[in-house]
Amino acid sequence: MSIFTPTNQIRLTNVAVVRTRRAGKRFEIACYRNKVMGWRSGVEKDIDEVLQTNTVFVNVSKGQVAKKEDLVKAFGTDDQTEICKMILTKGELQVSDKERHTQLEQMFRDIATIVAEKCVNPETKRPYTVILIERAMKDIHYSVKPNRSTKQQALEVIRQLKETMQIERAHMRLRFILPAKEGKKLKEKLKPLIKVIESEDFDEQLEIVCLIDPGCFREIDELIRCETKGKGSLEVLSLKDVEEGDEKFE
């Protein structure tokens, strides 16, 4: 016995659904689960690698395909691939509670990892372990924001953790060589951006080795380039000034 499948139904399995509402109707597209975020971040550029089918649905799980006249009314075109791109970019990715929980757990761990990589205890210069940062994030009841990048959230976490523990961005160690003519004047402008001057040598040129907050690097770089008209030089000696071994809570 053959099973009749209506012509406007397509059955798909193991899909990630992206949904939008337009002109009072719901439209959905079927995507590969791990490709949607890649497309939105610009990593994946081939639409065929993202879509399971270049078809617009009203209901993916029931296999109900959208009518041509509804597409034209809602999107101004019946070009299914173009409509898929619109939905993919601006639609809402549907995930189950279990998937959302797993995604948030992974983001929580990724944020803690970035914080651990970027920060130290300022008194001992030792880095914190990821587990310790995770525990500290739980103590301040940090809530992951799924629509913001992990890097942005890591910077926010650092700001919040400073209120409850000894933590700061690990300093960068720089060496800059400045022409004698501009050296002393430029040093005064650089001083507010420098945490610690480790050594200073003034002969025919001014050579300074110092520690800075990584957030000041771009400003220092631009200042040296503009003030010396390209004659000064800036060298990164180390990205993180840290001591060996992990920091632990007693």
Side-chain angles (χ1 to χ4, degrees), residues 28 39 47 50 52 70 112 116 125 140 146 201 207 213 250:
E28 298 180 345
W39 173 269
I47 190 77
V50 184
Q52 293 218 5
D70 290 340
K125 293 287 189 290
I140 63 169
D201 185 23
E207 180 180 324
D213 188 303
E250 294 302 324

Side-chain angles (χ1 to χ4, degrees), residues 52-88:
Q52 293 218 5
T53 171
N54 289 45
T55 304
V56 181
F57 297 82
V58 288
N59 190 311
V60 169
S61 63
K62 292 181 180 177
Q64 294 173 346
V65 179
K67 293 175 183 174
K68 183 176 176 179
E69 55 266 34
D70 290 340
L71 294 177
V72 173
K73 185 179 176 183
F75 297 95
T77 179
D78 63 351
D79 185 328
Q80 302 249 350
T81 302
E82 285 307 307
I83 294 169
C84 284
K85 286 180 181 177
M86 291 184 213
I87 297 173
L88 190 56

Side-chain angles (χ1 to χ4, degrees), residues 125-139:
K125 293 287 189 290
R126 291 177 183 270
Y128 287 106
T129 62
V130 175
I131 292 171
L132 200 147
I133 295 296
E134 284 184 344
R135 196 189 312 154
M137 285 168 65
K138 286 172 184 171
D139 288 344

Side-chain angles (χ1 to χ4, degrees), residues 5-187:
T5 303
T7 54
N8 73 330
Q9 285 200 350
I10 298 174
R11 294 292 183 187
L12 294 164
T13 56
N14 192 28
V15 296
V17 175
V18 180
R19 179 187 298 160
T20 191
R21 292 193 74 86
R22 282 208 185 191
K25 291 189 180 293
R26 183 174 79 177
F27 299 97
E28 298 180 345
I29 56 175
C31 307
Y32 291 103
R33 192 164 299 284
N34 58 338
K35 294 287 187 175
V36 176
M37 299 314 290
W39 173 269
R40 290 180 172 180
S41 66
V43 174
E44 180 57 69
K45 297 192 171 19
D46 185 351
I47 190 77
D48 293 327
E49 290 292 319
V50 184
L51 300 174
Q52 293 218 5
T53 171
N54 289 45
T55 304
V56 181
F57 297 82
V58 288
N59 190 311
V60 169
S61 63
K62 292 181 180 177
Q64 294 173 346
V65 179
K67 293 175 183 174
K68 183 176 176 179
E69 55 266 34
D70 290 340
L71 294 177
V72 173
K73 185 179 176 183
F75 297 95
T77 179
D78 63 351
D79 185 328
Q80 302 249 350
T81 302
E82 285 307 307
I83 294 169
C84 284
K85 286 180 181 177
M86 291 184 213
I87 297 173
L88 190 56
T89 303
K90 295 188 176 177
E92 185 181 337
L93 177 62
Q94 307 300 303
V95 293
S96 68
D97 289 342
K98 185 180 178 183
E99 286 173 321
R100 188 177 288 108
H101 181 70
T102 303
Q103 181 189 2
L104 291 176
E105 274 191 339
Q106 185 58 53
M107 285 187 77
F108 189 90
R109 203 168 298 120
D110 291 346
I111 293 165
T113 301
I114 293 170
V115 173
E117 286 173 351
K118 289 183 177 293
C119 295
V120 293
N121 180 325
E123 291 183 354
T124 63
K125 293 287 189 290
R126 291 177 183 270
Y128 287 106
T129 62
V130 175
I131 292 171
L132 200 147
I133 295 296
E134 284 184 344
R135 196 189 312 154
M137 285 168 65
K138 286 172 184 171
D139 288 344
I140 63 169
H141 306 292
Y142 184 77
S143 179
V144 173
K145 299 162 189 69
N147 296 324
R148 291 184 65 202
S149 75
T150 50
K151 190 171 181 182
Q152 284 177 322
Q153 293 188 74
L155 295 174
E156 176 61 31
V157 166
I158 293 168
R159 278 194 290 273
Q160 291 188 28
L161 289 181
K162 280 182 177 178
E163 297 174 13
T164 60
M165 62 188 284
Q166 290 281 335
I167 188 170
E168 69 175 27
R169 295 276 300 270
H171 295 146
M172 292 173 72
R173 180 175 281 107
L174 304 180
R175 175 194 289 128
F176 30 83
I177 299 172
L178 312 173
K181 189 178 177 183
E182 295 93 349
K184 287 187 177 178
K185 182 181 169 186
L186 183 51
K187 180 189 165 187

Side-chain angles (χ1 to χ4, degrees), residues 213-250:
D213 188 303
C216 296
F217 178 79
R218 189 173 296 171
E219 192 177 346
I220 290 171
D221 186 36
E222 286 177 3
L223 198 57
I224 290 174
R225 276 193 289 114
C226 293
E227 295 285 332
T228 67
K229 295 181 172 60
K231 293 176 185 173
S233 68
L234 172 62
E235 181 186 356
V236 178
L237 299 179
S238 66
L239 289 171
K240 289 201 304 183
D241 174 43
V242 296
E243 297 291 335
E244 291 298 315
D246 292 327
E247 184 66 22
K248 297 179 177 64
F249 277 146
E250 294 302 324

